[in-house]
Amino acid sequence: AQSVTQLGSHVSVSEGALVLLRCNYSSSVPPYLFWYVQYPNQGLQLLLKYTTGATLVKGINGFEAEFKKSETSFHLTKPSAHMSDAAEYFCALGGPGNQFYFGTGTSLTVIP
Amino acid sequence: DTGVSQNPRHKITKRGQNVTFRCDPISEHNRLYWYRQTLGQGPEFLTYFQNEAQLEKSRLLSDRFSAERPKGSFSTLEIQRTEQGDSAMYLCASSARGTANTEAFFGQGTRLTVV
C-alpha cells in the first residue's frame, strides 16, 4: 500500500536556524517522492522531487532532501530558515496513474 | 499566465444547492487531476483524466460528485445537493505525462463553503 507519514504537524524554528521536516513513506514499488509547499489560500508549489539516481536532491529556495531507502525516509532540510519559509509543507508519493499520496502536512513557523 | 487556472476562487452556497467548478490546465498537459483538501489535511485524490477519458473515478466521494473533461482541455467538477461536509478546498492539477515520476502543477484552488 502507498502511504506517507509526516512526523510533526507543527514545527517552529528561529530565523537562521536549521529546518528539518520529516517524511516517511510506504511503497510496494520503487518510490517517487516529492515535496510541495503551500502558502495560505494558495495552491501547491513543487519544491523538489526524487525519481532515480542521486539520493540527495536540491530544490528551490535553498531546500534539499535526502532519499534513504533503508529508513524509508525523505526528510526536507534547509540550513538557514528565512521568514518567507513560513508555510505548510507536504510530502507526496507518486503512485499508479500518477496520482499523489500526500502526507497530512507540516506547518512551519519561523520565529524572528 | 500559463499556469493552472481555477474558477471561481471562492464559492459560498446553501446546503442542497448544486455547484460547478472549472479548471483550465496548462495547455500542453494531457493529464488533469482533481483533489480535495480539508482543513489540516493533505490533498485527497478524487479523479483524473487523460485527455478526455476519465481513467479513475472510484475515489470520488459519493455519487453526488461528478467530473467532465469534454474536449480534453478544461474540466469541470460538479457537486450536487451540497452538504456542509463538502466544505473544503478543491484543487486541480495537471501534468505532461502519465508516469509516477512526473510532477503535477497545481492551481490555486476553489474554496467551497456550504452554509
Side-chain angles (χ1 to χ4, degrees), chain A residues 32 34 36 38 41-46 49-51 88 90 94-105, chain B residues 9 31 33 35 37 40-43 45 48 56 59 89 91 95 97-104 106-108 111:
Chain A
Y32 300 117
F34 305 79
Y36 281 86
Q38 186 177 35
N41 296 313
Q42 298 294 316
L44 282 73
Q45 179 183 6
L46 180 71
K49 69 175 184 179
Y50 168 78
T51 55
E88 190 86 15
F90 293 95
N98 202 28
Q99 65 174 278
F100 290 88
Y101 298 85
F102 284 89
T104 53
Chain B
R9 292 289 310 280
R31 288 224 167 186
Y33 310 82
Y35 286 80
Q37 185 178 19
Q41 299 296 315
F45 173 78
Y48 82 92
E56 174 59 67
R59 304 280 295 278
M89 175 79 88
L91 295 167
S95 68
R97 298 189 304 274
T99 54
N101 63 352
T102 305
E103 68 266 30
F106 284 80
Q108 294 185 305
R111 181 168 295 283

Side-chain angles (χ1 to χ4, degrees), chain A residues 48-89:
Chain A
L48 49 80
K49 69 175 184 179
Y50 168 78
T51 55
T52 57
T55 56
L56 182 62
V57 180
K58 295 186 184 297
I60 62 172
N61 301 338
F63 285 94
E64 61 183 37
E66 186 171 11
F67 170 67
K68 292 186 177 180
K69 183 178 178 180
S70 61
E71 299 178 7
T72 61
S73 69
F74 190 57
H75 301 331
L76 182 71
T77 60
K78 182 174 180 178
S80 177
H82 191 272
M83 295 298 294
S84 61
D85 294 328
E88 190 86 15
Y89 291 81

Side-chain angles (χ1 to χ4, degrees), chain A residues 4-63:
Chain A
V4 170
T5 302
Q6 290 184 242
L7 299 176
S9 58
H10 299 276
V11 170
S12 293
V13 300
S14 298
E15 189 174 17
L18 172 71
V19 175
L20 171 60
L21 305 182
R22 300 178 185 274
C23 172
N24 288 87
Y25 69 90
S26 174
S27 177
S28 55
V29 298
Y32 300 117
L33 293 157
F34 305 79
W35 275 99
Y36 281 86
V37 61
Q38 186 177 35
Y39 296 99
N41 296 313
Q42 298 294 316
L44 282 73
Q45 179 183 6
L46 180 71
L47 280 177
L48 49 80
K49 69 175 184 179
Y50 168 78
T51 55
T52 57
T55 56
L56 182 62
V57 180
K58 295 186 184 297
I60 62 172
N61 301 338
F63 285 94

Side-chain angles (χ1 to χ4, degrees), chain B residues 26-105:
Chain B
I26 294 172
S27 59
E28 61 268 26
H29 286 181
N30 62 3
R31 288 224 167 186
L32 185 148
Y33 310 82
W34 286 99
Y35 286 80
R36 183 181 80 154
Q37 185 178 19
T38 53
L39 196 63
Q41 299 296 315
E44 174 187 13
F45 173 78
L46 295 179
T47 187
Y48 82 92
F49 294 85
Q50 179 165 305
N51 299 314
E52 66 276 10
Q54 190 173 12
L55 299 184
E56 174 59 67
K57 57 182 180 181
S58 65
R59 304 280 295 278
L60 285 168
L61 299 164
S62 78
D63 59 6
R64 297 184 297 104
F65 287 70
S66 63
E68 293 183 341
R69 194 183 184 196
K71 298 182 179 179
S73 56
F74 73 91
S75 175
T76 57
L77 177 69
E78 182 182 17
I79 309 173
Q80 297 182 325
R81 305 181 302 281
T82 53
E83 302 174 354
Q84 287 189 322
D86 297 332
S87 296
M89 175 79 88
Y90 291 85
L91 295 167
C92 175
S94 68
S95 68
R97 298 189 304 274
T99 54
N101 63 352
T102 305
E103 68 266 30
F105 294 82

